[in-house]
Amino acid sequence: MASTNTFSDFKLASDLPAWAKLQALYDKSGKDISVKKEFAKDPKRFEKFSKTFTNYDGSKILFDFSKNLINEDVLSQLIELAKEAKVTALRDAMFSGEHINFTEDRAVYHVALRNRSDKPMKVDGVNVAPEVDSVLEHMKEFSEQVRSGAWKGYTGKRITDVVNIGIGGSDLGPVMVTEALKHYAGPLKVHFVSNIDGTHIAETLKVVDAETTLFLIASKTFTTAETITNATSAKNWFLSKTGNNPAHVAKHFAALSTNEKEVAAFGIDTKNMFGFESWVGGRYSVWSAIGLSVALYVGYDNFESFLKGAEAVDKHFTETPLEDNIPLLGGLLSVWYNNFFGAQTHLVAPFDQYLHRFPAYLQQLSMESNGKSVTRGNVFTNYSTGSILFGEPCTNAQHSFFQLVHQGTKLIPSDFILAAQSHNPIENKLHQKMLASNFFAQAEALMVGKDEAQVKAEGATGGLVPHKVFSGNRPTTSILAQKITPATLGALIAYYEHVTFTEGAIWNINSFDQWGVELGKVLAKVIGKELSGSNKIESHDASTNALINQFKEWM
């Protein structure tokens, strides 16, 4: 299928009639919406602005949007904006395998990786479901062999440790998911190396044994500089520990890649190669063979449940009317804050230690996708696009940057995530109750604030009063799951994927390329060669020349 850019007939979202109506609504009353007053006026506000998602296994996730700076008029106009921006048409094109990534002439089809209902899903007229199933079957067979001990290292010992070597999506996804699902871990320890800083690979190799370690080299092209450099260092270390016999590599290295020639040249048996297609973007690749470390760690059945949870959200996103479409509503709220309130950031705060890497994962998903300034109509935007996403697990975060969220000068829309049931209900659930009390209290405090009269009633006087005033009316979305299971985690990730998709569709940008990461890589190759010689560098600007030359002197 040729590259399609059929969604370029409107160049700028700001030219849409609904955008102008939203601006007028914001100017007239939207900017002055008081959530506290809205609750007072409407006792059914929670019911109107909260939605419950039911997963494939019957578990539920509650999305409470009622503490956001919206009313029925705003929401109605936001939905009209989604219609005018053809969000559903672009969504349907993505799910149909069209090349909506028009700058790279690729389909965007990570949703096919979690197609466990085995419906036909075609790219360029070819049903990719059998190929996806074949890779998953290979992952299942391999992971079960390694976990059971049937797969043995070169000395006959079973594998005890897995080291995943990748970068970007080939690292962030597996790291986050294995941490989030640590409760489900089996007999294997997993380690992740991504940073080209030699410290990362060196420290990892200190804690593993060559006889019992399996290395997964995660690189689609098998040419990613950082990954292959780390992989080569790992192989050299392995050979130095095993008598320099290249034949042993086959029992201790596997490739998550599509480049059979380079994989074989590296010394990996191509039977231990797990492929994925060009329509799988890096930041969406944890659903693919890149998730092999997850399957090894938590078991294939749990990995499949993870896929099914995401598939259930895909079904909701494609079949639910806009008014009740949970990811679409989340994306529209982001546009409302970003483009009308001027909010530049988005906080995601999981009240769950297992989700401590979730915000970092979402940073790549959101900012690599929507950090763009040119539309599908090939013109520069005159409005803000991608938000700066950040976050840390609570309650730690409450003792660091929450001061800014509560009393700073910036509006920071926030998502709070909590599971009602803990995997570790110690001390008669005391810890979980304390955690939950903070989850509820923080969202309430951000909404209601504390006015001057309340501060004075508590005994504050004089100049201390304004320091203790909280403006309140700071928006939050509360996401309450029953439990963080593989299915729940899959659903949460898919929710944020489709939130990101909705934002990009409204802004009319291509959320699926990442040209912004290329320039630095190109320049790094040039500078890398310059670092090898002893000659003084004069080919860059004065600052870069001076820094390079000082580095070479000190190195």
Side-chain angles (χ1 to χ4, degrees):
M1 182 180 294
S3 175
T4 60
N5 189 18
T6 56
F7 300 90
S8 62
D9 52 344
F10 75 92
K11 289 182 169 58
L12 293 167
S14 55
D15 290 338
L16 297 173
W19 187 284
K21 290 178 183 177
L22 273 168
Q23 185 63 60
L25 185 58
Y26 171 82
D27 293 338
K28 181 180 178 181
S29 59
K31 65 179 182 294
D32 298 318
I33 289 174
S34 165
V35 178
K36 189 162 61 171
K37 290 180 181 178
E38 292 294 326
F39 271 108
K41 286 192 300 185
D42 185 358
K44 293 188 176 181
R45 180 176 172 85
F46 171 77
E47 287 82 355
K48 288 178 181 177
F49 295 111
S50 65
K51 309 292 177 184
T52 299
F53 167 75
T54 302
N55 214 328
Y56 85 95
D57 59 357
S59 62
K60 298 181 186 300
I61 307 174
L62 172 62
F63 293 80
D64 176 18
F65 299 118
S66 65
K67 290 188 178 76
N68 281 283
L69 306 178
I70 55 171
N71 55 29
E72 290 179 273
D73 290 340
V74 170
L75 184 58
S76 176
Q77 199 55 52
L78 284 169
I79 290 171
E80 187 60 33
L81 178 64
K83 292 176 181 177
E84 291 183 9
K86 302 180 181 178
V87 174
T88 56
L90 186 63
R91 174 201 67 190
D92 294 345
M94 178 174 74
F95 276 83
S96 298
E98 293 186 30
H99 290 209
I100 65 169
N101 178 358
F102 71 96
T103 61
E104 296 181 302
D105 193 13
R106 290 178 182 172
V108 177
Y109 225 32
H110 51 277
V111 292
L113 298 170
R114 54 234 196 181
N115 173 29
R116 304 320 303 135
S117 56
D118 204 31
K119 62 186 177 185
M121 298 187 75
K122 296 181 179 181
V123 174
D124 300 330
V126 178
N127 180 18
V128 302
E131 176 192 352
V132 170
D133 287 345
S134 176
V135 173
L136 286 173
E137 188 59 36
H138 190 193
M139 292 170 65
K140 178 180 181 181
E141 177 187 26
F142 184 79
S143 61
E144 289 179 348
Q145 283 186 327
V146 176
R147 283 167 60 86
S148 69
W151 180 285
K152 301 219 171 20
Y154 79 101
T155 60
K157 293 182 179 180
R158 68 183 294 159
I159 299 298
T160 60
D161 293 79
V162 175
V163 178
N164 187 94
I165 300 177
I167 199 168
S170 299
D171 174 78
L172 283 166
V175 168
M176 182 274 290
V177 175
T178 53
E179 285 295 303
L181 300 181
K182 186 175 286 188
H183 176 78
Y184 298 88
L188 300 172
K189 297 177 183 177
V190 291
H191 315 267
F192 294 88
V193 175
S194 58
N195 201 333
I196 194 58
D197 183 345
T199 298
H200 205 179
I201 185 71
E203 288 294 332
T204 303
L205 295 177
K206 286 179 182 179
V207 298
V208 297
D209 185 334
E211 293 182 74
T212 59
T213 299
L214 173 68
F215 293 91
L216 305 180
I217 313 305
S219 172
K220 183 188 293 186
T221 63
F222 223 73
T223 58
T224 307
E226 299 92 340
T227 298
I228 299 308
T229 300
N230 277 326
T232 301
S233 295
K235 184 175 76 169
N236 291 339
W237 170 86
F238 174 79
L239 290 172
S240 73
K241 299 286 186 180
T242 59
N244 288 307
N245 188 343
H248 296 331
V249 170
K251 299 298 292 182
H252 292 267
F253 283 76
L256 316 179
S257 178
T258 58
N259 192 334
E260 186 172 337
K261 180 180 177 181
E262 291 295 331
V263 167
F266 188 87
I268 295 175
D269 187 339
T270 53
K271 292 178 183 178
N272 304 329
M273 185 173 121
F274 300 81
F276 49 102
E277 292 298 324
S278 63
W279 39 258
V280 181
R283 54 193 174 278
Y284 302 97
S285 63
V286 71
W287 316 105
S288 73
I290 293 296
L292 182 58
S293 58
V294 178
L296 285 162
Y297 189 56
V298 302
Y300 181 80
D301 288 346
N302 284 320
F303 182 73
E304 186 164 51
S305 181
F306 171 66
L307 298 178
K308 288 180 177 178
E311 181 188 30
V313 172
D314 293 341
K315 181 177 172 64
H316 171 91
F317 186 53
T318 55
E319 297 179 2
T320 306
L322 302 188
E323 294 77 8
D324 296 311
N325 196 304
I326 297 171
L328 182 118
L329 294 174
L332 290 175
L333 284 171
S334 178
V335 171
W336 177 233
Y337 293 128
N338 194 317
N339 298 112
F340 299 93
F341 283 84
Q344 296 179 319
T345 59
H346 183 175
L347 166 63
V348 177
F351 285 69
D352 191 303
Q353 185 58 31
Y354 284 134
L355 292 178
H356 72 107
R357 293 296 292 164
F358 195 54
Y361 174 79
L362 295 182
Q363 284 179 330
Q364 184 192 27
L365 171 64
S366 176
M367 293 195 284
E368 191 168 80
S369 295
N370 289 339
K372 314 289 171 59
S373 55
V374 178
T375 72
R376 288 179 171 273
N378 303 320
V379 298
F380 283 93
T381 66
N382 58 3
Y383 44 82
S384 174
T385 57
S387 300
I388 301 167
L389 191 147
F390 72 106
E392 283 289 329
C394 288
T395 55
N396 306 50
Q398 294 168 207
H399 296 270
S400 55
F401 55 76
F402 265 48
Q403 170 63 44
L404 178 66
V405 181
H406 278 282
Q407 289 186 303
T409 58
K410 295 175 173 60
L411 181 73
I412 304 177
S414 304
D415 295 355
F416 294 164
I417 304 171
L418 175 71
Q421 300 169 34
S422 172
H423 287 296
N424 301 289
I426 61 175
E427 303 292 344
N428 194 29
K429 301 182 182 179
L430 172 63
H431 290 259
Q432 188 68 0
K433 290 174 184 176
M434 289 181 66
L435 184 69
S437 68
N438 281 275
F439 172 83
F440 300 123
Q442 288 293 330
E444 184 179 35
L446 285 164
M447 180 187 77
V448 301
K450 185 186 290 187
D451 61 25
E452 186 175 315
Q454 289 173 292
V455 172
K456 288 180 177 177
E458 292 174 355
T461 59
L464 186 59
V465 172
H467 294 277
K468 291 196 170 187
V469 169
F470 290 72
S471 65
N473 212 41
R474 307 211 172 197
T476 59
T477 295
S478 295
I479 301 172
L480 179 62
Q482 288 181 283
K483 198 171 192 174
I484 300 299
T485 64
T488 301
L489 181 65
L492 286 173
I493 297 172
Y495 163 76
Y496 279 102
E497 285 182 354
H498 296 321
V499 165
T500 303
F501 171 91
T502 299
E503 295 170 339
I506 296 288
W507 292 324
N508 200 27
I509 57 178
N510 181 8
S511 299
F512 305 104
D513 59 14
Q514 51 279 329
W515 299 108
V517 305
E518 297 299 322
L519 180 58
K521 289 183 178 181
V522 172
L523 293 178
K525 288 181 180 179
V526 173
I527 294 173
K529 295 177 182 177
E530 294 174 337
L531 295 179
S532 300
S534 58
N535 56 308
K536 193 171 183 179
I537 301 304
E538 298 178 346
S539 55
H540 304 276
D541 62 272
S543 170
T544 304
N545 287 336
L547 288 167
I548 291 173
N549 291 325
Q550 186 65 81
F551 173 81
K552 292 174 71 171
E553 181 182 330
W554 286 350
M555 186 171 62

